[in-house]
Amino acid sequence: MKTALITGASGSIGSACAEIFVKNGYFTAGTYNTGEKKAFELKRRMGENGELFYPVQADLSDYGGAQAAYDYVKNNFGHADVLVYCAGAELYKLAQDTAGSELERIMNVNFNSAYLLSSLCLKDMTERKRGSIVFVSSIWGARGASMESAYSASKAALIGLTKSLAKEAGPSGVRVNCVCPGATDTKMLARFSAEELADVIERTPLGRLGTPSEMAELIYFLASEKAGFITGQSIVADGGFIL
C-alpha cells in the first residue's frame, strides 16, 4: 500500500487532501502544529478509513519539524510515495513594516521547510525511482500581491523549486508539480470584510470562491499516475481571477 505525507493536515486544504488520499487507500501521515484537536477530529470523521490516517505534530517554522515529519514516515512506513506540502503561514503587512523575525517565520513555514522535507523524501524517491511531490503555492506567488510581499515571495520560491526539482528528479522517475490556488474558502479569508470578498468574487469570471475539496482533487490528480507525464508545472486554480 502506498504512503502519503501531507503537511498542514489540520488546515482546510490539507485536511481535504488527507481525506482524498485516505479514501484512495493511502497510509496518510498528516502534520499539524497547534491544530491537534482538528487533526484528531478529522481522523474520527473518516470513520473506518481513519485507521489509515496518522496525525503527526510538527512545527514547520523550525527545521526540526520537517525532520521530525520525515522521520515519522521513514520509521513507520519506510518511505513516502507522495509528499504534499500544504502547510502555510500568512502575513498581511507592508514590506517596510515587516520585522526580520516575521519574514523568517514566513520563509521557514512556506519555503525552507518545504525545501528540506522534499530533499529528504527525494533521497528515497530517487533511489526507488518513483514518487511524486506536490507543493501548494498561491496565485500571489505567480503574480505578487500588495501588502503580502513576504507571503508572495515565499510562495514564488515554491514555484522556482518545483521547476528545479522536476529537472533534477525527472531522470529518476520522480515528478514534482505545484498548485497555485486563488481565493479559496478557507480561514485565510477571515481578515476580509464581506464587501471585500464580494469584490473578489465579482472579479472572478466563475463568480465564486474555490473550495478546499476542489484544490484537493487537483492535488490528488497531480500526485496520481493519471498525471504520469506532467512534471515541473505550476497549475493555477483561481476561477479565472488573474486572466
Side-chain angles (χ1 to χ4, degrees):
M1 188 176 289
K2 293 183 177 181
T3 300
L5 172 56
I6 299 172
T7 69
S10 62
S12 299
I13 296 176
S15 62
C17 287
E19 288 189 279
I20 193 171
F21 276 91
V22 164
K23 181 180 178 181
N24 283 277
Y26 280 75
F27 286 119
T28 302
T31 75
Y32 64 90
N33 182 18
T34 59
E36 179 178 12
K37 182 178 179 180
K38 290 182 179 179
F40 281 91
E41 284 178 352
L42 173 62
K43 182 177 178 69
R44 287 192 293 271
R45 192 165 70 241
M46 290 177 178
E48 292 183 359
N49 287 338
E51 296 179 358
L52 299 178
F53 180 62
Y54 301 81
V56 181
Q57 198 285 326
D59 181 359
L60 296 172
S61 68
D62 181 87
Y63 289 127
Q67 184 70 55
Y70 170 76
D71 288 345
Y72 181 91
V73 172
K74 184 71 172 178
N75 293 336
N76 288 277
F77 305 107
H79 64 271
D81 296 283
V82 173
L83 168 63
V84 177
Y85 197 90
C86 198
E90 63 175 334
L91 183 67
Y92 193 68
K93 186 177 284 190
L94 289 170
Q96 60 264 36
D97 295 333
T98 300
S101 59
E102 292 175 313
L103 175 60
E104 183 178 16
R105 178 177 178 272
I106 288 292
M107 292 304 297
N108 278 349
V109 175
N110 291 356
F111 177 72
N112 293 342
S113 285
Y115 189 106
L116 176 60
L117 192 51
S118 59
S119 68
L120 291 169
C121 289
L122 276 171
K123 292 179 181 178
D124 298 324
M125 290 178 176
T126 53
E127 183 177 318
R128 299 177 69 245
K129 297 194 179 299
R130 60 181 179 274
S132 179
I133 295 174
V134 182
F135 296 114
V136 179
S137 178
S138 166
I139 58 169
W140 305 129
R143 182 179 181 179
S146 175
M147 297 289 292
E148 295 185 83
S149 55
Y151 177 82
S152 297
S154 67
K155 291 297 189 176
L158 285 178
I159 295 174
L161 181 61
T162 295
K163 296 176 181 179
S164 295
L165 291 185
K167 291 180 178 180
E168 287 186 19
S172 296
V174 180
R175 297 182 301 106
V176 185
N177 289 291
C178 183
V179 171
C180 299
T184 305
D185 190 11
T186 71
K187 68 177 183 179
M188 282 194 174
L189 297 183
R191 69 169 180 268
F192 295 109
S193 67
E195 291 77 13
E196 289 171 327
L197 285 178
D199 179 63
V200 170
I201 291 171
E202 184 177 354
R203 293 164 58 194
T204 302
L206 288 183
R208 63 177 178 84
L209 300 176
T211 67
S213 62
E214 287 174 322
M215 303 306 156
E217 289 282 358
L218 175 57
I219 290 164
Y220 180 77
F221 167 73
L222 288 173
S224 74
E225 294 179 0
K226 290 184 179 180
F229 202 54
I230 300 175
T231 195
Q233 302 304 304
S234 299
I235 298 179
V236 172
D238 68 346
F241 184 84
I242 63 173
L243 290 175

